[in-house]
Each structure stands twice: as C-alpha cells, then as structure tokens.
Amino acid sequence: MKLYSYFRSSAAYRVRIALALKKLPFEIIPVHLLRDGGQQYQPAYLAKNPMGIVPSLETDDGLTLTQSLAIIEYLDETHPDVALLPATPAERARVRALALTIACDIHPINNLRILKYLQNTLGVDNDQKTEWYLHWLKQGLAAVETMLANDPHTGTFCHGDTPGLADCCLIPQVFNAKRFKLPMEDYPTISRIVDACEALPAFHQAAPAQQPDAEA
C-alpha cells in the first residue's frame, strides 16, 4: 500500500496510527502542503484526490481511497485483526461519535487551508488567527473531555483498554494543540489517554517526527 501523506497532517497521522496498530506494511509518498504552492494542488495528485487534501491510500488491489475515517474503517473491515471498532452497535456509535467530534467539529475549522484563507484572503493577523484556532480547539476538547470523563466505557484508552478509532483521531489533535501551546491542565482524561497511547510503539512509529518528510 502507498499512503500519500504530509508529516504534520492530522488526517494522515490518523491513518498512519491505524496502519501501525494493525502492523500493515505501507510506503509513504510525501505530499508537501506548503512547497511549490502546495503539492496537493498539482494535477497528478488532484487526479487521485479531487479535494486536494491528504491522505490518500492506494491499496494493494489498486483502489485509491480518500478521507481518513473512511480509510481507517476500510482497513478495519479488510484487516479485522486488531479491531479498531468495538463489537456492539452502541459501542461503535460511541467510538464514532468521539472520532467524528474531532474529525468533523474540531479539525476542519482549524485546518491549514482554513487558517491560510483567514490570514491571506480575509486579512486576519497572526494573533487573531491563533485566537481563532485556540477558541475552537478549547471548545472541542472540552466536549471530548466531558464525553470521556463521564462515560464508564472509557478505560486506559478512549474506549476500553485497547486503542481504537477514537484514539487514532485524538492523538493528532492533541499534537496540534501542543504545537499551538494550548495548556492541557483542563483536560486530565484526554492527557491520561494520550500518555497511554504515546507509550505504545505504534503511536511512536506514526508520529510526525518519525516520518521521512519530517521537518524541524
């Protein structure tokens, strides 16, 4: 398999974690989101992913898949060992709700292309851009913290004592929060889960600093 990825992309990071948890071999094809006007907008890449975003996954049987959560669920269905979703419909709905809160409600409005539009097109200055980012991040992480802290299904990880889909989404979002220097004291359950995840080799392997296109 080939994963079109950018080392700091939250969405690509999610898929790298899933692949690592499942111990599936894959090749990284770097797509630099800032270089050359954004390599994701070059015609060859747009032919694979018309949205011009990462990740995209080329499977061993020739499929090209887009959207990180769709990719992860595909991997879970085609490689069911080390399941990333629990067994019952109610539990799967809970895990998907956690994952989608991050992937749909927090991440998109703080995505690089949104921040660039705010700054380059709307004329928002750097401090205002950071204020925008932190406002939505704080609101979203507060909701996730409540969802995790108040549910008995939360264990060592977001759901029980094995990492899954929700953890694949949570760790990249917290990585970005720390990049923007968001204090994490208000999110003790999230912080505890992040510590548990980062102690596992799969999460270390998937981390931005470990990628072939990593930059300081």
Tab-separated table of all heavy atoms in Angstrom, residues 39-90:
chain	number	residue	atom	x	y	z
A	39	GLN	N	1.788	20.988	-2.978
A	39	GLN	CA	1.865	19.872	-3.917
A	39	GLN	C	0.545	19.120	-4.027
A	39	GLN	O	0.319	18.407	-5.006
A	39	GLN	CB	2.991	18.923	-3.496
A	39	GLN	CG	4.374	19.561	-3.628
A	39	GLN	CD	5.492	18.674	-3.111
A	39	GLN	OE1	5.250	17.624	-2.506
A	39	GLN	NE2	6.727	19.096	-3.352
A	40	GLN	N	-0.348	19.317	-3.046
A	40	GLN	CA	-1.661	18.672	-3.092
A	40	GLN	C	-2.539	19.237	-4.195
A	40	GLN	O	-3.566	18.638	-4.543
A	40	GLN	CB	-2.358	18.794	-1.730
A	40	GLN	CG	-2.813	20.198	-1.355
A	40	GLN	CD	-1.728	21.028	-0.698
A	40	GLN	OE1	-0.552	20.817	-0.906
A	40	GLN	NE2	-2.137	21.991	0.126
A	41	TYR	N	-2.140	20.383	-4.765
A	41	TYR	CA	-2.930	21.003	-5.826
A	41	TYR	C	-2.380	20.711	-7.215
A	41	TYR	O	-2.938	21.190	-8.209
A	41	TYR	CB	-2.991	22.515	-5.616
A	41	TYR	CG	-3.617	22.919	-4.294
A	41	TYR	CD1	-2.939	23.773	-3.429
A	41	TYR	CD2	-4.865	22.430	-3.914
A	41	TYR	CE1	-3.510	24.138	-2.216
A	41	TYR	CE2	-5.431	22.785	-2.699
A	41	TYR	CZ	-4.742	23.637	-1.849
A	41	TYR	OH	-5.302	23.993	-0.644
A	42	GLN	N	-1.322	19.931	-7.292
A	42	GLN	CA	-0.776	19.589	-8.603
A	42	GLN	C	-1.705	18.597	-9.311
A	42	GLN	O	-2.336	17.756	-8.667
A	42	GLN	CB	0.636	19.016	-8.454
A	42	GLN	CG	1.638	20.052	-7.947
A	42	GLN	CD	3.034	19.496	-7.755
A	42	GLN	OE1	3.262	18.286	-7.861
A	42	GLN	NE2	3.982	20.378	-7.469
A	43	PRO	N	-1.808	18.696	-10.634
A	43	PRO	CA	-2.782	17.871	-11.373
A	43	PRO	C	-2.665	16.374	-11.108
A	43	PRO	O	-3.687	15.693	-11.001
A	43	PRO	CB	-2.486	18.212	-12.834
A	43	PRO	CG	-1.940	19.597	-12.785
A	43	PRO	CD	-1.137	19.673	-11.522
A	44	ALA	N	-1.445	15.875	-10.991
A	44	ALA	CA	-1.283	14.436	-10.781
A	44	ALA	C	-1.906	13.994	-9.459
A	44	ALA	O	-2.511	12.914	-9.372
A	44	ALA	CB	0.196	14.062	-10.815
A	45	TYR	N	-1.776	14.845	-8.426
A	45	TYR	CA	-2.376	14.471	-7.144
A	45	TYR	C	-3.881	14.706	-7.141
A	45	TYR	O	-4.648	13.904	-6.590
A	45	TYR	CB	-1.721	15.207	-5.975
A	45	TYR	CG	-2.249	14.708	-4.653
A	45	TYR	CD1	-1.879	13.447	-4.180
A	45	TYR	CD2	-3.175	15.438	-3.912
A	45	TYR	CE1	-2.404	12.948	-3.001
A	45	TYR	CE2	-3.701	14.946	-2.729
A	45	TYR	CZ	-3.314	13.688	-2.277
A	45	TYR	OH	-3.838	13.176	-1.116
A	46	LEU	N	-4.325	15.796	-7.765
A	46	LEU	CA	-5.769	16.060	-7.823
A	46	LEU	C	-6.512	14.946	-8.550
A	46	LEU	O	-7.696	14.711	-8.282
A	46	LEU	CB	-6.023	17.398	-8.511
A	46	LEU	CG	-5.710	18.646	-7.691
A	46	LEU	CD1	-5.863	19.896	-8.555
A	46	LEU	CD2	-6.603	18.733	-6.456
A	47	ALA	N	-5.833	14.256	-9.463
A	47	ALA	CA	-6.463	13.126	-10.138
A	47	ALA	C	-6.755	11.992	-9.155
A	47	ALA	O	-7.678	11.205	-9.365
A	47	ALA	CB	-5.575	12.629	-11.271
A	48	LYS	N	-5.960	11.920	-8.089
A	48	LYS	CA	-6.185	10.896	-7.068
A	48	LYS	C	-7.188	11.378	-6.023
A	48	LYS	O	-8.003	10.613	-5.522
A	48	LYS	CB	-4.865	10.546	-6.358
A	48	LYS	CG	-3.778	10.001	-7.272
A	48	LYS	CD	-2.513	9.721	-6.479
A	48	LYS	CE	-1.376	9.306	-7.403
A	48	LYS	NZ	-1.695	8.052	-8.123
A	49	ASN	N	-7.097	12.662	-5.670
A	49	ASN	CA	-7.916	13.208	-4.603
A	49	ASN	C	-8.399	14.592	-5.027
A	49	ASN	O	-7.700	15.587	-4.852
A	49	ASN	CB	-7.100	13.298	-3.310
A	49	ASN	CG	-7.951	13.634	-2.094
A	49	ASN	OD1	-8.917	14.369	-2.200
A	49	ASN	ND2	-7.564	13.105	-0.949
A	50	PRO	N	-9.574	14.688	-5.622
A	50	PRO	CA	-10.054	15.962	-6.166
A	50	PRO	C	-10.182	17.084	-5.140
A	50	PRO	O	-10.195	18.257	-5.525
A	50	PRO	CB	-11.427	15.607	-6.749
A	50	PRO	CG	-11.350	14.147	-7.042
A	50	PRO	CD	-10.502	13.580	-5.949
A	51	MET	N	-10.268	16.763	-3.842
A	51	MET	CA	-10.324	17.799	-2.823
A	51	MET	C	-8.963	18.462	-2.602
A	51	MET	O	-8.878	19.515	-1.980
A	51	MET	CB	-10.833	17.228	-1.498
A	51	MET	CG	-12.341	17.122	-1.403
A	51	MET	SD	-13.176	18.742	-1.445
A	51	MET	CE	-12.665	19.427	0.118
A	52	GLY	N	-7.900	17.838	-3.079
A	52	GLY	CA	-6.577	18.395	-2.874
A	52	GLY	C	-6.157	18.397	-1.418
A	52	GLY	O	-5.607	19.386	-0.910
A	53	ILE	N	-6.422	17.293	-0.733
A	53	ILE	CA	-6.037	17.157	0.664
A	53	ILE	C	-5.366	15.798	0.847
A	53	ILE	O	-5.467	14.913	-0.008
A	53	ILE	CB	-7.249	17.281	1.613
A	53	ILE	CG1	-8.338	16.263	1.256
A	53	ILE	CG2	-7.821	18.693	1.571
A	53	ILE	CD1	-9.537	16.265	2.193
A	54	VAL	N	-4.682	15.632	1.957
A	54	VAL	CA	-4.150	14.324	2.340
A	54	VAL	C	-4.925	13.850	3.570
A	54	VAL	O	-5.491	14.666	4.305
A	54	VAL	CB	-2.634	14.399	2.639
A	54	VAL	CG1	-1.848	14.690	1.388
A	54	VAL	CG2	-2.314	15.413	3.724
A	55	PRO	N	-4.969	12.504	3.717
A	55	PRO	CA	-4.254	11.474	2.975
A	55	PRO	C	-5.065	10.916	1.817
A	55	PRO	O	-6.270	11.141	1.712
A	55	PRO	CB	-4.077	10.385	4.032
A	55	PRO	CG	-5.362	10.464	4.832
A	55	PRO	CD	-5.687	11.935	4.887
A	56	SER	N	-4.342	10.174	0.978
A	56	SER	CA	-4.957	9.225	0.049
A	56	SER	C	-4.210	7.908	0.234
A	56	SER	O	-3.008	7.919	0.515
A	56	SER	CB	-4.823	9.694	-1.397
A	56	SER	OG	-5.466	10.927	-1.601
A	57	LEU	N	-4.920	6.816	0.086
A	57	LEU	CA	-4.299	5.498	0.234
A	57	LEU	C	-4.525	4.699	-1.026
A	57	LEU	O	-5.667	4.526	-1.464
A	57	LEU	CB	-4.904	4.748	1.426
A	57	LEU	CG	-4.301	3.362	1.705
A	57	LEU	CD1	-2.906	3.481	2.309
A	57	LEU	CD2	-5.209	2.533	2.622
A	58	GLU	N	-3.438	4.235	-1.621
A	58	GLU	CA	-3.522	3.279	-2.732
A	58	GLU	C	-3.368	1.888	-2.155
A	58	GLU	O	-2.349	1.569	-1.534
A	58	GLU	CB	-2.436	3.557	-3.771
A	58	GLU	CG	-2.674	4.820	-4.578
A	58	GLU	CD	-1.647	5.019	-5.685
A	58	GLU	OE1	-0.764	4.138	-5.854
A	58	GLU	OE2	-1.713	6.043	-6.376
A	59	THR	N	-4.382	1.063	-2.341
A	59	THR	CA	-4.372	-0.273	-1.762
A	59	THR	C	-3.625	-1.253	-2.665
A	59	THR	O	-3.333	-0.958	-3.820
A	59	THR	CB	-5.803	-0.772	-1.542
A	59	THR	OG1	-6.407	-1.019	-2.824
A	59	THR	CG2	-6.629	0.250	-0.775
A	60	ASP	N	-3.361	-2.420	-2.131
A	60	ASP	CA	-2.645	-3.443	-2.891
A	60	ASP	C	-3.430	-3.918	-4.106
A	60	ASP	O	-2.842	-4.411	-5.066
A	60	ASP	CB	-2.328	-4.645	-1.988
A	60	ASP	CG	-1.272	-4.317	-0.940
A	60	ASP	OD1	-0.462	-3.390	-1.186
A	60	ASP	OD2	-1.256	-4.965	0.112
A	61	ASP	N	-4.758	-3.767	-4.077
A	61	ASP	CA	-5.557	-4.209	-5.221
A	61	ASP	C	-5.955	-3.049	-6.134
A	61	ASP	O	-6.886	-3.169	-6.931
A	61	ASP	CB	-6.801	-4.980	-4.765
A	61	ASP	CG	-7.612	-4.231	-3.718
A	61	ASP	OD1	-7.248	-3.082	-3.387
A	61	ASP	OD2	-8.600	-4.799	-3.227
A	62	GLY	N	-5.253	-1.914	-6.000
A	62	GLY	CA	-5.406	-0.850	-6.988
A	62	GLY	C	-6.442	0.203	-6.688
A	62	GLY	O	-6.657	1.102	-7.503
A	63	LEU	N	-7.099	0.149	-5.537
A	63	LEU	CA	-8.050	1.182	-5.169
A	63	LEU	C	-7.322	2.435	-4.677
A	63	LEU	O	-6.250	2.339	-4.076
A	63	LEU	CB	-8.971	0.692	-4.053
A	63	LEU	CG	-9.934	-0.451	-4.364
A	63	LEU	CD1	-10.646	-0.872	-3.080
A	63	LEU	CD2	-10.934	-0.041	-5.426
A	64	THR	N	-7.896	3.589	-4.924
A	64	THR	CA	-7.423	4.816	-4.300
A	64	THR	C	-8.528	5.320	-3.389
A	64	THR	O	-9.636	5.620	-3.841
A	64	THR	CB	-7.073	5.886	-5.343
A	64	THR	OG1	-6.017	5.400	-6.178
A	64	THR	CG2	-6.605	7.172	-4.658
A	65	LEU	N	-8.221	5.382	-2.096
A	65	LEU	CA	-9.196	5.770	-1.085
A	65	LEU	C	-8.830	7.136	-0.517
A	65	LEU	O	-7.654	7.453	-0.360
A	65	LEU	CB	-9.227	4.741	0.046
A	65	LEU	CG	-9.472	3.288	-0.373
A	65	LEU	CD1	-9.362	2.374	0.843
A	65	LEU	CD2	-10.828	3.132	-1.037
A	66	THR	N	-9.852	7.924	-0.191
A	66	THR	CA	-9.645	9.231	0.417
A	66	THR	C	-10.491	9.329	1.681
A	66	THR	O	-11.337	8.470	1.943
A	66	THR	CB	-10.030	10.365	-0.550
A	66	THR	OG1	-11.427	10.271	-0.864
A	66	THR	CG2	-9.222	10.288	-1.845
A	67	GLN	N	-10.250	10.392	2.454
A	67	GLN	CA	-10.900	10.668	3.738
A	67	GLN	C	-10.410	9.689	4.816
A	67	GLN	O	-10.631	8.483	4.737
A	67	GLN	CB	-12.426	10.647	3.636
A	67	GLN	CG	-12.988	11.799	2.825
A	67	GLN	CD	-12.754	13.160	3.474
A	67	GLN	OE1	-12.529	13.255	4.668
A	67	GLN	NE2	-12.796	14.211	2.654
A	68	SER	N	-9.771	10.252	5.816
A	68	SER	CA	-9.064	9.425	6.796
A	68	SER	C	-9.970	8.421	7.503
A	68	SER	O	-9.596	7.254	7.677
A	68	SER	CB	-8.363	10.312	7.821
A	68	SER	OG	-9.296	11.115	8.531
A	69	LEU	N	-11.156	8.836	7.932
A	69	LEU	CA	-12.010	7.899	8.662
A	69	LEU	C	-12.538	6.795	7.754
A	69	LEU	O	-12.674	5.645	8.184
A	69	LEU	CB	-13.155	8.631	9.362
A	69	LEU	CG	-12.835	9.076	10.798
A	69	LEU	CD1	-11.691	10.070	10.850
A	69	LEU	CD2	-14.072	9.647	11.484
A	70	ALA	N	-12.831	7.139	6.501
A	70	ALA	CA	-13.252	6.102	5.547
A	70	ALA	C	-12.117	5.111	5.314
A	70	ALA	O	-12.339	3.891	5.222
A	70	ALA	CB	-13.679	6.741	4.233
A	71	ILE	N	-10.890	5.619	5.218
A	71	ILE	CA	-9.727	4.745	5.024
A	71	ILE	C	-9.564	3.816	6.223
A	71	ILE	O	-9.348	2.605	6.070
A	71	ILE	CB	-8.456	5.582	4.797
A	71	ILE	CG1	-8.527	6.325	3.459
A	71	ILE	CG2	-7.206	4.702	4.852
A	71	ILE	CD1	-7.425	7.357	3.262
A	72	ILE	N	-9.661	4.369	7.422
A	72	ILE	CA	-9.460	3.549	8.625
A	72	ILE	C	-10.538	2.483	8.738
A	72	ILE	O	-10.251	1.321	9.067
A	72	ILE	CB	-9.425	4.448	9.880
A	72	ILE	CG1	-8.170	5.339	9.863
A	72	ILE	CG2	-9.438	3.589	11.151
A	72	ILE	CD1	-8.148	6.399	10.951
A	73	GLU	N	-11.777	2.833	8.442
A	73	GLU	CA	-12.834	1.814	8.514
A	73	GLU	C	-12.651	0.756	7.432
A	73	GLU	O	-12.929	-0.428	7.652
A	73	GLU	CB	-14.214	2.465	8.442
A	73	GLU	CG	-14.519	3.299	9.689
A	73	GLU	CD	-15.974	3.215	10.114
A	73	GLU	OE1	-16.623	2.181	9.852
A	73	GLU	OE2	-16.444	4.192	10.732
A	74	TYR	N	-12.164	1.158	6.259
A	74	TYR	CA	-11.840	0.175	5.213
A	74	TYR	C	-10.770	-0.792	5.722
A	74	TYR	O	-10.896	-2.015	5.562
A	74	TYR	CB	-11.355	0.894	3.953
A	74	TYR	CG	-10.743	-0.031	2.917
A	74	TYR	CD1	-11.533	-0.679	1.978
A	74	TYR	CD2	-9.364	-0.268	2.898
A	74	TYR	CE1	-10.977	-1.534	1.045
A	74	TYR	CE2	-8.797	-1.121	1.962
A	74	TYR	CZ	-9.602	-1.745	1.043
A	74	TYR	OH	-9.041	-2.599	0.118
A	75	LEU	N	-9.727	-0.252	6.329
A	75	LEU	CA	-8.660	-1.106	6.860
A	75	LEU	C	-9.203	-2.038	7.936
A	75	LEU	O	-8.795	-3.205	8.023
A	75	LEU	CB	-7.535	-0.241	7.428
A	75	LEU	CG	-6.739	0.592	6.417
A	75	LEU	CD1	-5.802	1.557	7.138
A	75	LEU	CD2	-5.957	-0.309	5.462
A	76	ASP	N	-10.128	-1.527	8.743
A	76	ASP	CA	-10.673	-2.350	9.817
A	76	ASP	C	-11.526	-3.487	9.272
A	76	ASP	O	-11.548	-4.585	9.829
A	76	ASP	CB	-11.499	-1.481	10.764
A	76	ASP	CG	-11.418	-1.950	12.203
A	76	ASP	OD1	-10.336	-2.416	12.613
A	76	ASP	OD2	-12.427	-1.841	12.925
A	77	GLU	N	-12.226	-3.227	8.169
A	77	GLU	CA	-13.067	-4.259	7.578
A	77	GLU	C	-12.261	-5.279	6.769
A	77	GLU	O	-12.620	-6.452	6.728
A	77	GLU	CB	-14.130	-3.601	6.690
A	77	GLU	CG	-15.162	-2.807	7.486
A	77	GLU	CD	-16.075	-1.974	6.604
A	77	GLU	OE1	-15.963	-2.072	5.363
A	77	GLU	OE2	-16.905	-1.224	7.159
A	78	THR	N	-11.189	-4.832	6.136
A	78	THR	CA	-10.404	-5.736	5.295
A	78	THR	C	-9.285	-6.435	6.063
A	78	THR	O	-8.769	-7.448	5.613
A	78	THR	CB	-9.801	-4.978	4.097
A	78	THR	OG1	-9.024	-3.875	4.572
A	78	THR	CG2	-10.897	-4.470	3.171
A	79	HIS	N	-8.905	-5.883	7.204
A	79	HIS	CA	-7.862	-6.481	8.049
A	79	HIS	C	-8.382	-6.489	9.490
A	79	HIS	O	-7.966	-5.671	10.312
A	79	HIS	CB	-6.552	-5.693	7.949
A	79	HIS	CG	-5.994	-5.624	6.559
A	79	HIS	ND1	-6.419	-4.688	5.635
A	79	HIS	CD2	-5.052	-6.373	5.932
A	79	HIS	CE1	-5.756	-4.863	4.506
A	79	HIS	NE2	-4.926	-5.879	4.657
A	80	PRO	N	-9.323	-7.377	9.802
A	80	PRO	CA	-10.050	-7.303	11.073
A	80	PRO	C	-9.224	-7.627	12.310
A	80	PRO	O	-9.674	-7.328	13.429
A	80	PRO	CB	-11.185	-8.322	10.892
A	80	PRO	CG	-10.707	-9.244	9.818
A	80	PRO	CD	-9.846	-8.428	8.911
A	81	ASP	N	-8.042	-8.225	12.154
A	81	ASP	CA	-7.195	-8.428	13.320
A	81	ASP	C	-6.812	-7.054	13.883
A	81	ASP	O	-6.565	-6.115	13.126
A	81	ASP	CB	-5.934	-9.209	12.964
A	81	ASP	CG	-6.238	-10.666	12.604
A	81	ASP	OD1	-7.348	-11.125	12.942
A	81	ASP	OD2	-5.392	-11.326	11.979
A	82	VAL	N	-6.729	-6.978	15.202
A	82	VAL	CA	-6.503	-5.706	15.899
A	82	VAL	C	-7.628	-4.729	15.524
A	82	VAL	O	-7.418	-3.706	14.870
A	82	VAL	CB	-5.116	-5.098	15.582
A	82	VAL	CG1	-4.836	-3.922	16.529
A	82	VAL	CG2	-4.004	-6.125	15.660
A	83	ALA	N	-8.830	-5.076	15.932
A	83	ALA	CA	-10.007	-4.281	15.585
A	83	ALA	C	-9.921	-2.886	16.183
A	83	ALA	O	-9.527	-2.708	17.342
A	83	ALA	CB	-11.269	-4.978	16.079
A	84	LEU	N	-10.299	-1.898	15.387
A	84	LEU	CA	-10.284	-0.501	15.832
A	84	LEU	C	-11.670	-0.008	16.224
A	84	LEU	O	-11.802	1.101	16.732
A	84	LEU	CB	-9.698	0.385	14.733
A	84	LEU	CG	-8.254	0.038	14.328
A	84	LEU	CD1	-7.781	0.951	13.212
A	84	LEU	CD2	-7.315	0.117	15.528
A	85	LEU	N	-12.682	-0.820	15.985
A	85	LEU	CA	-14.044	-0.519	16.414
A	85	LEU	C	-14.551	-1.668	17.280
A	85	LEU	O	-14.248	-2.835	17.006
A	85	LEU	CB	-14.966	-0.329	15.212
A	85	LEU	CG	-14.864	1.034	14.506
A	85	LEU	CD1	-15.487	0.964	13.125
A	85	LEU	CD2	-15.545	2.107	15.341
A	86	PRO	N	-15.309	-1.366	18.331
A	86	PRO	CA	-15.812	-2.430	19.216
A	86	PRO	C	-16.900	-3.265	18.557
A	86	PRO	O	-17.340	-2.983	17.435
A	86	PRO	CB	-16.342	-1.654	20.425
A	86	PRO	CG	-16.623	-0.290	19.919
A	86	PRO	CD	-15.664	-0.025	18.801
A	87	ALA	N	-17.373	-4.271	19.296
A	87	ALA	CA	-18.222	-5.295	18.698
A	87	ALA	C	-19.683	-4.898	18.568
A	87	ALA	O	-20.355	-5.300	17.616
A	87	ALA	CB	-18.112	-6.585	19.517
A	88	THR	N	-20.215	-4.119	19.499
A	88	THR	CA	-21.659	-3.879	19.506
A	88	THR	C	-22.000	-2.568	18.799
A	88	THR	O	-21.197	-1.628	18.777
A	88	THR	CB	-22.210	-3.826	20.937
A	88	THR	OG1	-21.747	-2.627	21.579
A	88	THR	CG2	-21.744	-5.039	21.743
A	89	PRO	N	-23.204	-2.468	18.233
A	89	PRO	CA	-23.604	-1.226	17.563
A	89	PRO	C	-23.538	0.005	18.467
A	89	PRO	O	-23.116	1.077	18.032
A	89	PRO	CB	-25.036	-1.520	17.105
A	89	PRO	CG	-25.080	-3.005	16.939
A	89	PRO	CD	-24.205	-3.544	18.029
A	90	ALA	N	-23.985	-0.137	19.715
A	90	ALA	CA	-23.977	1.010	20.628
A	90	ALA	C	-22.555	1.473	20.917
A	90	ALA	O	-22.278	2.684	20.945
A	90	ALA	CB	-24.692	0.645	21.929
